[in-house]
Structures are given as C-alpha cells and as structure tokens.
Amino acid sequence: MSIHFGVDYYPEHWPMARWETDARLMREMGIDLVRMAEFSWQKMESAEGTFDFAWLDRSIEILARAGIRVVLGTPTASPPAWIIQANPEILPLDSRGVRRGFGGRHHDCQSNEAYRVHARRIAQAMARHFASKPSVLGWQIDNELGNSHHDLCHCESCRHAFQAWLRAKYGTIAELNRRWGTVFWSQTYDDFAQVPTPAANAVNAHNPSLHLDWKRFHSDLIIEFHDEQAAIIRREAPGQFITHNLMGFFDLVDYFKLARSLDFVSHDQYPMGFFDRPQPMKDPATLAAHLDLMAGLKGAPFWVMEQQAGPTGWSILGKTPRPGQLALWTAQSIAHGADAVVFFRWRSCTVGTEQYWHGILPHNGLPGRRYEELKACIAQLSPVMDDFRGCLGGSEAALLFSYEQNWALEVQPHHPDLDYLQHTMGFCRAFHERNIPLAFISGSEDLARHRLIIAPLLFLDLPGLAARLTAYVRGGGHLVLTMRTGVKDQDNLCQTEGPLPGPYAELLGIEILDYDCLRDCEERVECEGTVGAARLWWDVIELRGARALARGRGGDHGGEPIITEAEAGSGRAYYIGSELDPALMSRFVDHAAKAAGLASLGPSAEGLELVRRRGAEADYLFALNHRGEGASVALPPAWEAIIGSRDLPPYGFSLFRSERTEPRPRPH
Ligand code: GLA
Ligand code: ZN
C-alpha cells in the first residue's frame, strides 16, 4: 500500500455534480486517499435500521476511478437527532449535573447501553457493507475520542460503570477503603454502590485516590468504547486496517493503551491551534513533541489524519499561515515519522459550525494558493517517501511519558502553575534546540536501547518501575529524575517508607528532608557557571554520595544543592529538585548529553530544526526553517540535497540524503 497524501472529504456537503471535479482536482494534486463519513450517521442511517450507503458507494466509485482510496470513519461522534429522541438518556451529564443537549457533537454518554447498541449497529452495518470494496483500505473509529468529554459524563450509567470498574480492581469494598484511605472524613463505604463520581456537587474536594481512579476509569471507558467497535470491524472486515486520530498531548485517554488495538496510530496536527480560543501558535518544539509522542506510542511511524490546510477557526479565526508554512508543517510531520499526511479538509465548508476552518480549497471550490503550495509539496515529497516508509529516525535518548503521573498531578498540582506537560516540554525544548532526537517511551519498552532516559515527575511509585529504572542505571544507563518523585504509592497515598525520593533515594545518592513550594517567588541557581532561575518547587536535598551539579545562590536556599549527579553501577543518575528555566535547562542538558555521549544531527540555529528518518539504504535529514527569514545550514558534504539546498527560504524546508555504509541499527 503506497499511500502518501490524503484529504478529509465530506462529499455529502456538496452536490453530486461536483464530485467528479473534486476527484479530478485531488488526483491532479497528487492525493491518494480520502477519509470520509465520520460525521455522516444521519445520511447513512436515517431511521433505525434504514441504511443508505448508495451515496457513499457512488463517491467511493468516483474516487476509485481517479485512483483514490478510502478510510471510513464510524460516525459515533455525532449521534443524529432521531437517536437522541428515542433514547434521551444518551445525552451526557456534566460534573455540575447539567444534562448536555443536542446541537453540537459528542453529545453522548459512552457507557450508556442504549448508545452502545446504536453504535454497534452502525459499525456492523458499515463494516459489512464496505468489507469487500477494494478501495476501502481501513477504518477510523469515532473521531478524536475523548474530545469534548473532559467534564463528562457523570450520569447514573457512568457511575455504575465506575463502581463495576472499582469492584473488578479491588475485589472487596474493604480493600478499596484501605487503599483509598477512606477513614479520612468518615468516607468509609459499606458497598461499591455508595461510591460517587467526582462530580462538582461535592462540598469540598474529592478524595485524591478516588479522583485518580476516576481518570483511569474514564480512559479505560473510552478505550472500551473504541475496542467494541474495533472488534466488530475486525470480524466483519478482517482485511482492512484500524487507526484512530489522536490529539497529541491530549490527556484524557492513555494513548499507549488505546494504541494497542490499532494497526497504527494517526494524529491531528494543527500548528495554529483549535476552536474559538485565540491561541498563540504552537512553537516548533511543541509541534515536534506532539509528533514524537505519536511515534512513541507504538515505536513506529504513524499517519497524520488531519493536517492543517488553511486558517483555522470556528467563530474566531486564527492567523493565516504564511506562504510556505503549510508545506513546512507537512514536511515536519513526515520528518517526525508520518508515513502519510491527510489534510483537513478538502474544501472550506459553506454550512455549519466549521465554516471558517479552512480547507485546501476556498469556499468557491477554485484551486488557489493553498492548493498550489501543497501540490508542489506533494510532488517533492511523494517520490522519496517509500524509501523511509516504516522506519523512524532512531534516537539515543528517551523521555518517559506517563498519563498516570499527569493525572495524579492534575488532581494535586502542588503549585498552581505546575503542569506535567509544561515541565516535560522544558526537556523537549532543550533537546529540540540541540537537534538531538528524543523518543517518547512508556517505560515498558526495552530501556537499555537508550543511553539516557528522562523520567520527569515520577510522583506515583508505579509497580515495577523503580526496579526497572534502577536496573537500567546499574547496567550503564543515564537517568534523569525530577522533583516530586516517589512521593505517592500507586493508589495516590503518601508513601512512608524512608526519605524521599522513596525508592530512588539510594540510586540517586540523596535524601530530601524538606521542601518548599515556591509561591510567588523563584530561586537563583548556579549550574557550572550558568546562573538562572528555579521555579515552582524546591527540594531541600542532602547529599548521600551524590555531588551537586547546581546550587542555590542567595535567597532562601542559597548554597543548597538542587541538581545532583551520582554514579551507580556502570550508569549515572541525576536529580533535579525544581523546575529549571531555559538557561539552566540548557546548561544541564549540555552536561547530561555530553556525559551520555549523545550525538546531535547538526548545528543549532534559532528556528532551524533538523530531523532524521532512516530508510532502507540511506539516512534522510530534513532541515525545517520555522522563521520568516532565510536561513542556511552547514552540513557535512556526505549529506546530498535532494529537495532544496543548504540555503533555505523563509518557512522553507530541504531534504538531504546520505548513503549508509553500516546496516540500519534497528527496525525504527
Ligand atoms: C478536529 C476534528 C475535526 C474538525 C477539526 C476542526 O480536529 O477532528 O472534525 O472539527 O477539529 O475543528
Ligand atoms: Zn454517562
């Protein structure tokens, strides 16, 4: 299957007479694929059991004649009005007890059995109908699962599902009481049926253990909702793949878990942000990190199922991408591991909420600047993509990314500004600036593949992890841990076994005897001659074998160690007892990268990103100029320019190739 570029297409929004023109324009542009139908429930099933796939068949045929293949979405992100009328209990209940209504999308309770019946019926009918269509390659179940569900759902069905999940986890209510510490405030339960959801009607904050389990349950519920449809499609259409359009750092679903039932993951990449919130454009390092997380979920290339194709916005608009930017972002997605890029959307819509979320074509359907820019980009990239299909760029360093740590810190952030993703991005940004690849891992992989692992904010001591990380270091790995490590057990209770950082104290050669939440203040710190600020938190560290790499300077914590380094076995372990500003982070990452022997892909320059992919016989290096002025990149002569050159225009990219003499190190 050689699919490189696609578009998200909604033929039902346009007269049939236009469909041939669309297919021709797509073909001329180099489009291989469309994704369709993920919001078309009413058009496919206008009353219970009354299916009409003829319009979709027709569209698929027209596209097939133009050589364009199809991914179909099951439409469960937008249940039609007749379903809601028949089963109003499907409408979700928010945390304030407000029943949400019909009128947007995602107005569904994912545990509701009536809704599951409807979802199974449409998934089965679609899968059965399209299983034998040769140009239907695969499926996307629902759309951006979890999207809009942050405050949902607290209905009776979800409460019962939560209670059943707890019963399966804890067995007896006595065990739940013990592990949640419900003795506090007389919250001891006699029965699972008494356990509430963490709705906003509680007079005070909920038990943190309950809250964390609710987040785990909620993620599992969404995955179960997905997997139920996946099982139907696997049964009915075994030759077709299943993927899902994930949302980068979106935090409601443990994407490592969701990815298990996907053939490959997909991702929606909108550099200029979402919805009505006027947002600053995401910086290139954040965009890169979203993509690297996607590559990390299965340790494999992925698809972009929605790539920004024009100005975004619902009722408020984002900025119009500058000439070159759409192509640049496309190249960035491919550089970080996308094997195919599908643009959202083919044509700007004249109806509905997303009239200003612009597609490749403007409202009038005439090819213009965006069409020409992306057509040229496709013509450049398409011919080289097969050589690196299936392979990532490889990395010697990894970041351990944990949904559970994030959830626990969302429940108790300590400092109002502490944010797991921002803390994590501090490291990503420093690696990005240095053009040192940093893979995302869950921690369950073979750790020894990496020379350096950064595992930020290991707040919860999750089963087995400390032993694995300790063995990794003793075996020669370098490990970076940060503030609030080892504070809690897996149930979100404070651990009492010895000094902080709990199971890592000995490995790190430190003890934390006290700490200080840095409210409305920062501490000056010196690290190997660089002075910068440490923020949010200060661990008061006693050295028990480690050396101080950085200490406080003046202020409340002058002279106290705040970054430590220790040898352990044949490896090395660092601890950072605060959140570092960019200057300190840079200094620290230089130190740690050098000690671990990490190689950079090339010289650093502001806004110029270098990313590698490995192919069958050659390595490929993308140079991406994220700035509105020209740039040049000094690379060794072995890198032959196959797209562009060493001089890059504003928002331009180049691609270099280098024949490899030694075999490819790893499959990815
Ligand atoms: C998301 C959805 C799309 C569309 C875009 C724009 O990415 O998956 O259906 O709504 O946002 O809002
Ligand atoms: Zn519900």
mmCIF file of all heavy atoms in Angstrom, residues 247-281:
data_model
loop_
_atom_site.group_PDB
_atom_site.id
_atom_site.type_symbol
_atom_site.label_atom_id
_atom_site.label_comp_id
_atom_site.label_asym_id
_atom_site.label_seq_id
_atom_site.Cartn_x
_atom_site.Cartn_y
_atom_site.Cartn_z
ATOM 1 N N MET A 247 -4.822 13.162 19.453
ATOM 2 C CA MET A 247 -4.649 14.620 19.536
ATOM 3 C C MET A 247 -3.407 14.998 20.336
ATOM 4 O O MET A 247 -3.487 15.753 21.307
ATOM 5 C CB MET A 247 -5.892 15.238 20.186
ATOM 6 C CG MET A 247 -7.162 15.074 19.397
ATOM 7 S SD MET A 247 -8.614 15.633 20.338
ATOM 8 C CE MET A 247 -8.931 14.199 21.346
ATOM 9 N N GLY A 248 -2.265 14.469 19.948
ATOM 10 C CA GLY A 248 -1.017 14.897 20.579
ATOM 11 C C GLY A 248 -1.032 14.749 22.085
ATOM 12 O O GLY A 248 -1.273 13.667 22.615
ATOM 13 N N PHE A 249 -0.822 15.854 22.788
ATOM 14 C CA PHE A 249 -0.730 15.836 24.255
ATOM 15 C C PHE A 249 -2.084 15.791 24.961
ATOM 16 O O PHE A 249 -2.144 15.999 26.166
ATOM 17 C CB PHE A 249 0.023 17.080 24.738
ATOM 18 C CG PHE A 249 1.524 16.970 24.673
ATOM 19 C CD1 PHE A 249 2.314 18.108 24.810
ATOM 20 C CD2 PHE A 249 2.154 15.755 24.492
ATOM 21 C CE1 PHE A 249 3.705 18.031 24.769
ATOM 22 C CE2 PHE A 249 3.538 15.654 24.443
ATOM 23 C CZ PHE A 249 4.312 16.802 24.579
ATOM 24 N N PHE A 250 -3.142 15.565 24.242
ATOM 25 C CA PHE A 250 -4.461 15.449 24.878
ATOM 26 C C PHE A 250 -4.357 14.433 26.022
ATOM 27 O O PHE A 250 -3.730 13.392 25.880
ATOM 28 C CB PHE A 250 -5.474 14.978 23.840
ATOM 29 C CG PHE A 250 -6.863 14.805 24.364
ATOM 30 C CD1 PHE A 250 -7.668 15.903 24.570
ATOM 31 C CD2 PHE A 250 -7.352 13.543 24.647
ATOM 32 C CE1 PHE A 250 -8.966 15.744 25.054
ATOM 33 C CE2 PHE A 250 -8.641 13.377 25.131
ATOM 34 C CZ PHE A 250 -9.448 14.482 25.330
ATOM 35 N N ASP A 251 -4.982 14.761 27.157
ATOM 36 C CA ASP A 251 -4.651 13.991 28.364
ATOM 37 C C ASP A 251 -5.749 13.067 28.889
ATOM 38 O O ASP A 251 -5.582 12.466 29.948
ATOM 39 C CB ASP A 251 -4.251 14.964 29.481
ATOM 40 C CG ASP A 251 -5.400 15.884 29.856
ATOM 41 O OD1 ASP A 251 -6.437 15.867 29.169
ATOM 42 O OD2 ASP A 251 -5.256 16.632 30.838
ATOM 43 N N LEU A 252 -6.864 12.956 28.194
ATOM 44 C CA LEU A 252 -7.967 12.200 28.804
ATOM 45 C C LEU A 252 -7.849 10.688 28.616
ATOM 46 O O LEU A 252 -8.434 9.919 29.374
ATOM 47 C CB LEU A 252 -9.292 12.678 28.192
ATOM 48 C CG LEU A 252 -10.506 12.643 29.094
ATOM 49 C CD1 LEU A 252 -10.291 13.533 30.297
ATOM 50 C CD2 LEU A 252 -11.751 13.109 28.332
ATOM 51 N N VAL A 253 -7.126 10.282 27.610
ATOM 52 C CA VAL A 253 -7.017 8.857 27.292
ATOM 53 C C VAL A 253 -5.542 8.467 27.321
ATOM 54 O O VAL A 253 -4.708 9.190 26.786
ATOM 55 C CB VAL A 253 -7.543 8.563 25.866
ATOM 56 C CG1 VAL A 253 -7.595 7.068 25.611
ATOM 57 C CG2 VAL A 253 -8.895 9.200 25.648
ATOM 58 N N ASP A 254 -5.259 7.330 27.937
ATOM 59 C CA ASP A 254 -3.893 6.810 27.901
ATOM 60 C C ASP A 254 -3.654 6.267 26.490
ATOM 61 O O ASP A 254 -4.081 5.166 26.147
ATOM 62 C CB ASP A 254 -3.724 5.708 28.953
ATOM 63 C CG ASP A 254 -2.296 5.192 29.023
ATOM 64 O OD1 ASP A 254 -1.578 5.274 27.996
ATOM 65 O OD2 ASP A 254 -1.896 4.699 30.089
ATOM 66 N N TYR A 255 -3.007 7.074 25.689
ATOM 67 C CA TYR A 255 -2.828 6.717 24.280
ATOM 68 C C TYR A 255 -1.939 5.480 24.093
ATOM 69 O O TYR A 255 -2.055 4.794 23.087
ATOM 70 C CB TYR A 255 -2.250 7.900 23.500
ATOM 71 C CG TYR A 255 -3.251 8.979 23.106
ATOM 72 C CD1 TYR A 255 -2.812 10.243 22.736
ATOM 73 C CD2 TYR A 255 -4.624 8.723 23.060
ATOM 74 C CE1 TYR A 255 -3.706 11.232 22.329
ATOM 75 C CE2 TYR A 255 -5.516 9.706 22.661
ATOM 76 C CZ TYR A 255 -5.051 10.965 22.295
ATOM 77 O OH TYR A 255 -5.930 11.932 21.884
ATOM 78 N N PHE A 256 -1.038 5.219 25.047
ATOM 79 C CA PHE A 256 -0.249 3.987 24.917
ATOM 80 C C PHE A 256 -1.190 2.782 24.936
ATOM 81 O O PHE A 256 -1.012 1.826 24.198
ATOM 82 C CB PHE A 256 0.775 3.855 26.056
ATOM 83 C CG PHE A 256 1.975 4.759 25.911
ATOM 84 C CD1 PHE A 256 2.111 5.873 26.726
ATOM 85 C CD2 PHE A 256 2.957 4.496 24.970
ATOM 86 C CE1 PHE A 256 3.220 6.713 26.598
ATOM 87 C CE2 PHE A 256 4.063 5.323 24.833
ATOM 88 C CZ PHE A 256 4.193 6.435 25.654
ATOM 89 N N LYS A 257 -2.213 2.851 25.804
ATOM 90 C CA LYS A 257 -3.178 1.741 25.900
ATOM 91 C C LYS A 257 -4.092 1.699 24.688
ATOM 92 O O LYS A 257 -4.372 0.637 24.147
ATOM 93 C CB LYS A 257 -4.055 1.931 27.147
ATOM 94 C CG LYS A 257 -3.532 1.299 28.405
ATOM 95 C CD LYS A 257 -4.662 1.370 29.435
ATOM 96 C CE LYS A 257 -4.315 0.721 30.739
ATOM 97 N NZ LYS A 257 -5.430 0.842 31.699
ATOM 98 N N LEU A 258 -4.605 2.861 24.284
ATOM 99 C CA LEU A 258 -5.512 2.895 23.133
ATOM 100 C C LEU A 258 -4.805 2.367 21.879
ATOM 101 O O LEU A 258 -5.393 1.661 21.059
ATOM 102 C CB LEU A 258 -6.026 4.324 22.892
ATOM 103 C CG LEU A 258 -6.928 4.536 21.669
ATOM 104 C CD1 LEU A 258 -8.198 3.691 21.734
ATOM 105 C CD2 LEU A 258 -7.316 6.002 21.508
ATOM 106 N N ALA A 259 -3.525 2.691 21.774
ATOM 107 C CA ALA A 259 -2.771 2.318 20.564
ATOM 108 C C ALA A 259 -2.658 0.803 20.388
ATOM 109 O O ALA A 259 -2.448 0.329 19.285
ATOM 110 C CB ALA A 259 -1.375 2.941 20.606
ATOM 111 N N ARG A 260 -2.816 0.062 21.507
ATOM 112 C CA ARG A 260 -2.648 -1.393 21.394
ATOM 113 C C ARG A 260 -3.603 -2.024 20.405
ATOM 114 O O ARG A 260 -3.272 -2.993 19.749
ATOM 115 C CB ARG A 260 -2.858 -2.052 22.770
ATOM 116 C CG ARG A 260 -1.693 -1.820 23.699
ATOM 117 C CD ARG A 260 -1.942 -2.514 25.028
ATOM 118 N NE ARG A 260 -1.148 -1.869 26.064
ATOM 119 C CZ ARG A 260 -1.479 -1.818 27.355
ATOM 120 N NH1 ARG A 260 -2.604 -2.385 27.778
ATOM 121 N NH2 ARG A 260 -0.696 -1.214 28.212
ATOM 122 N N SER A 261 -4.820 -1.507 20.299
ATOM 123 C CA SER A 261 -5.767 -2.154 19.395
ATOM 124 C C SER A 261 -5.779 -1.518 18.001
ATOM 125 O O SER A 261 -6.622 -1.835 17.181
ATOM 126 C CB SER A 261 -7.172 -2.161 19.996
ATOM 127 O OG SER A 261 -7.581 -0.839 20.210
ATOM 128 N N LEU A 262 -4.828 -0.628 17.747
ATOM 129 C CA LEU A 262 -4.750 -0.001 16.421
ATOM 130 C C LEU A 262 -3.643 -0.664 15.602
ATOM 131 O O LEU A 262 -2.621 -1.065 16.150
ATOM 132 C CB LEU A 262 -4.415 1.490 16.557
ATOM 133 C CG LEU A 262 -5.341 2.325 17.439
ATOM 134 C CD1 LEU A 262 -4.820 3.750 17.543
ATOM 135 C CD2 LEU A 262 -6.768 2.305 16.911
ATOM 136 N N ASP A 263 -3.857 -0.732 14.285
ATOM 137 C CA ASP A 263 -2.771 -1.217 13.432
ATOM 138 C C ASP A 263 -1.649 -0.187 13.389
ATOM 139 O O ASP A 263 -0.485 -0.525 13.351
ATOM 140 C CB ASP A 263 -3.294 -1.495 12.023
ATOM 141 C CG ASP A 263 -4.237 -2.694 12.039
ATOM 142 O OD1 ASP A 263 -3.743 -3.803 12.269
ATOM 143 O OD2 ASP A 263 -5.459 -2.511 11.871
ATOM 144 N N PHE A 264 -2.023 1.063 13.375
ATOM 145 C CA PHE A 264 -1.053 2.155 13.521
ATOM 146 C C PHE A 264 -1.822 3.348 14.055
ATOM 147 O O PHE A 264 -3.052 3.401 13.950
ATOM 148 C CB PHE A 264 -0.350 2.481 12.188
ATOM 149 C CG PHE A 264 -1.292 2.844 11.069
ATOM 150 C CD1 PHE A 264 -1.689 4.151 10.854
ATOM 151 C CD2 PHE A 264 -1.798 1.853 10.219
ATOM 152 C CE1 PHE A 264 -2.560 4.479 9.828
ATOM 153 C CE2 PHE A 264 -2.673 2.174 9.187
ATOM 154 C CZ PHE A 264 -3.056 3.497 8.997
ATOM 155 N N VAL A 265 -1.124 4.286 14.651
ATOM 156 C CA VAL A 265 -1.830 5.441 15.186
ATOM 157 C C VAL A 265 -1.862 6.552 14.134
ATOM 158 O O VAL A 265 -1.028 6.599 13.227
ATOM 159 C CB VAL A 265 -1.207 5.984 16.503
ATOM 160 C CG1 VAL A 265 -1.065 4.897 17.541
ATOM 161 C CG2 VAL A 265 0.126 6.662 16.267
ATOM 162 N N SER A 266 -2.847 7.410 14.283
ATOM 163 C CA SER A 266 -2.906 8.628 13.483
ATOM 164 C C SER A 266 -3.020 9.808 14.444
ATOM 165 O O SER A 266 -3.273 9.625 15.640
ATOM 166 C CB SER A 266 -4.101 8.603 12.539
ATOM 167 O OG SER A 266 -3.969 7.550 11.611
ATOM 168 N N HIS A 267 -2.831 10.992 13.904
ATOM 169 C CA HIS A 267 -2.752 12.176 14.752
ATOM 170 C C HIS A 267 -3.316 13.371 13.993
ATOM 171 O O HIS A 267 -3.242 13.424 12.765
ATOM 172 C CB HIS A 267 -1.277 12.409 15.118
ATOM 173 C CG HIS A 267 -0.976 13.764 15.669
ATOM 174 N ND1 HIS A 267 -1.477 14.204 16.870
ATOM 175 C CD2 HIS A 267 -0.210 14.784 15.181
ATOM 176 C CE1 HIS A 267 -1.036 15.436 17.098
ATOM 177 N NE2 HIS A 267 -0.282 15.804 16.100
ATOM 178 N N ASP A 268 -3.869 14.315 14.727
ATOM 179 C CA ASP A 268 -4.365 15.550 14.121
ATOM 180 C C ASP A 268 -3.418 16.689 14.488
ATOM 181 O O ASP A 268 -3.229 16.973 15.679
ATOM 182 C CB ASP A 268 -5.787 15.850 14.611
ATOM 183 C CG ASP A 268 -6.787 14.801 14.094
ATOM 184 O OD1 ASP A 268 -6.406 14.005 13.215
ATOM 185 O OD2 ASP A 268 -7.931 14.786 14.582
ATOM 186 N N GLN A 269 -2.837 17.307 13.487
ATOM 187 C CA GLN A 269 -1.789 18.308 13.730
ATOM 188 C C GLN A 269 -2.249 19.684 13.248
ATOM 189 O O GLN A 269 -2.340 19.927 12.045
ATOM 190 C CB GLN A 269 -0.505 17.866 13.009
ATOM 191 C CG GLN A 269 0.687 18.787 13.182
ATOM 192 C CD GLN A 269 1.444 18.573 14.482
ATOM 193 O OE1 GLN A 269 0.902 18.045 15.458
ATOM 194 N NE2 GLN A 269 2.687 18.979 14.531
ATOM 195 N N TYR A 270 -2.547 20.553 14.218
ATOM 196 C CA TYR A 270 -2.992 21.912 13.907
ATOM 197 C C TYR A 270 -2.022 22.912 14.532
ATOM 198 O O TYR A 270 -2.229 23.351 15.663
ATOM 199 C CB TYR A 270 -4.416 22.147 14.434
ATOM 200 C CG TYR A 270 -5.459 21.378 13.654
ATOM 201 C CD1 TYR A 270 -6.062 20.250 14.182
ATOM 202 C CD2 TYR A 270 -5.820 21.788 12.373
ATOM 203 C CE1 TYR A 270 -7.010 19.536 13.457
ATOM 204 C CE2 TYR A 270 -6.762 21.080 11.635
ATOM 205 C CZ TYR A 270 -7.349 19.960 12.188
ATOM 206 O OH TYR A 270 -8.283 19.264 11.464
ATOM 207 N N PRO A 271 -0.976 23.288 13.826
ATOM 208 C CA PRO A 271 0.016 24.191 14.425
ATOM 209 C C PRO A 271 -0.586 25.492 14.937
ATOM 210 O O PRO A 271 -0.054 26.089 15.866
ATOM 211 C CB PRO A 271 0.983 24.447 13.267
ATOM 212 C CG PRO A 271 0.885 23.209 12.437
ATOM 213 C CD PRO A 271 -0.565 22.807 12.511
ATOM 214 N N MET A 272 -1.682 25.932 14.369
ATOM 215 C CA MET A 272 -2.240 27.209 14.824
ATOM 216 C C MET A 272 -3.354 27.056 15.846
ATOM 217 O O MET A 272 -4.024 28.032 16.176
ATOM 218 C CB MET A 272 -2.693 28.019 13.633
ATOM 219 C CG MET A 272 -1.480 28.636 12.968
ATOM 220 S SD MET A 272 -1.887 29.631 11.566
ATOM 221 C CE MET A 272 -0.404 30.631 11.417
ATOM 222 N N GLY A 273 -3.544 25.845 16.343
ATOM 223 C CA GLY A 273 -4.456 25.689 17.468
ATOM 224 C C GLY A 273 -5.879 25.373 17.069
ATOM 225 O O GLY A 273 -6.198 25.178 15.900
ATOM 226 N N PHE A 274 -6.712 25.319 18.094
ATOM 227 C CA PHE A 274 -8.075 24.822 17.958
ATOM 228 C C PHE A 274 -9.108 25.859 18.353
ATOM 229 O O PHE A 274 -8.866 26.742 19.142
ATOM 230 C CB PHE A 274 -8.269 23.612 18.884
ATOM 231 C CG PHE A 274 -7.521 22.398 18.426
ATOM 232 C CD1 PHE A 274 -6.245 22.153 18.877
ATOM 233 C CD2 PHE A 274 -8.096 21.504 17.546
ATOM 234 C CE1 PHE A 274 -5.553 21.029 18.463
ATOM 235 C CE2 PHE A 274 -7.419 20.387 17.123
ATOM 236 C CZ PHE A 274 -6.141 20.146 17.583
ATOM 237 N N PHE A 275 -10.278 25.675 17.854
ATOM 238 C CA PHE A 275 -11.504 26.290 18.345
ATOM 239 C C PHE A 275 -11.491 27.801 18.433
ATOM 240 O O PHE A 275 -10.773 28.484 17.720
ATOM 241 C CB PHE A 275 -11.888 25.727 19.715
ATOM 242 C CG PHE A 275 -12.126 24.258 19.699
ATOM 243 C CD1 PHE A 275 -11.922 23.510 20.839
ATOM 244 C CD2 PHE A 275 -12.555 23.606 18.554
ATOM 245 C CE1 PHE A 275 -12.148 22.159 20.838
ATOM 246 C CE2 PHE A 275 -12.784 22.260 18.550
ATOM 247 C CZ PHE A 275 -12.571 21.521 19.695
ATOM 248 N N ASP A 276 -12.307 28.271 19.348
ATOM 249 C CA ASP A 276 -12.532 29.698 19.465
ATOM 250 C C ASP A 276 -11.514 30.397 20.343
ATOM 251 O O ASP A 276 -11.482 31.611 20.408
ATOM 252 C CB ASP A 276 -13.923 29.947 20.067
ATOM 253 C CG ASP A 276 -14.980 29.821 18.983
ATOM 254 O OD1 ASP A 276 -14.612 29.478 17.852
ATOM 255 O OD2 ASP A 276 -16.153 30.064 19.287
ATOM 256 N N ARG A 277 -10.736 29.619 21.069
ATOM 257 C CA ARG A 277 -9.761 30.262 21.939
ATOM 258 C C ARG A 277 -8.690 30.879 21.047
ATOM 259 O O ARG A 277 -8.021 30.176 20.301
ATOM 260 C CB ARG A 277 -9.082 29.238 22.842
ATOM 261 C CG ARG A 277 -9.914 28.839 24.036
ATOM 262 C CD ARG A 277 -9.272 27.648 24.722
ATOM 263 N NE ARG A 277 -9.805 26.415 24.174
ATOM 264 C CZ ARG A 277 -9.088 25.327 23.937
ATOM 265 N NH1 ARG A 277 -7.807 25.303 24.179
ATOM 266 N NH2 ARG A 277 -9.655 24.252 23.450
ATOM 267 N N PRO A 278 -8.515 32.208 21.108
ATOM 268 C CA PRO A 278 -7.402 32.762 20.336
ATOM 269 C C PRO A 278 -6.124 32.243 20.992
ATOM 270 O O PRO A 278 -5.893 32.472 22.166
ATOM 271 C CB PRO A 278 -7.553 34.273 20.515
ATOM 272 C CG PRO A 278 -8.772 34.486 21.355
ATOM 273 C CD PRO A 278 -9.188 33.187 21.948
ATOM 274 N N GLN A 279 -5.346 31.497 20.264
ATOM 275 C CA GLN A 279 -4.180 30.862 20.857
ATOM 276 C C GLN A 279 -2.927 31.319 20.152
ATOM 277 O O GLN A 279 -2.936 31.502 18.955
ATOM 278 C CB GLN A 279 -4.259 29.344 20.674
ATOM 279 C CG GLN A 279 -5.193 28.666 21.613
ATOM 280 C CD GLN A 279 -5.223 27.166 21.344
ATOM 281 O OE1 GLN A 279 -4.879 26.724 20.266
ATOM 282 N NE2 GLN A 279 -5.638 26.419 22.323
ATOM 283 N N PRO A 280 -1.839 31.439 20.900
ATOM 284 C CA PRO A 280 -0.584 31.678 20.203
ATOM 285 C C PRO A 280 -0.253 30.435 19.396
ATOM 286 O O PRO A 280 -0.639 29.327 19.770
ATOM 287 C CB PRO A 280 0.412 31.847 21.347
ATOM 288 C CG PRO A 280 -0.218 31.169 22.522
ATOM 289 C CD PRO A 280 -1.692 31.236 22.333
ATOM 290 N N MET A 281 0.441 30.620 18.298
ATOM 291 C CA MET A 281 0.809 29.452 17.518
ATOM 292 C C MET A 281 1.736 28.563 18.339
ATOM 293 O O MET A 281 2.552 29.037 19.097
ATOM 294 C CB MET A 281 1.522 29.897 16.262
ATOM 295 C CG MET A 281 1.360 28.892 15.175
ATOM 296 S SD MET A 281 2.386 29.294 13.810
ATOM 297 C CE MET A 281 3.910 28.595 14.348
#
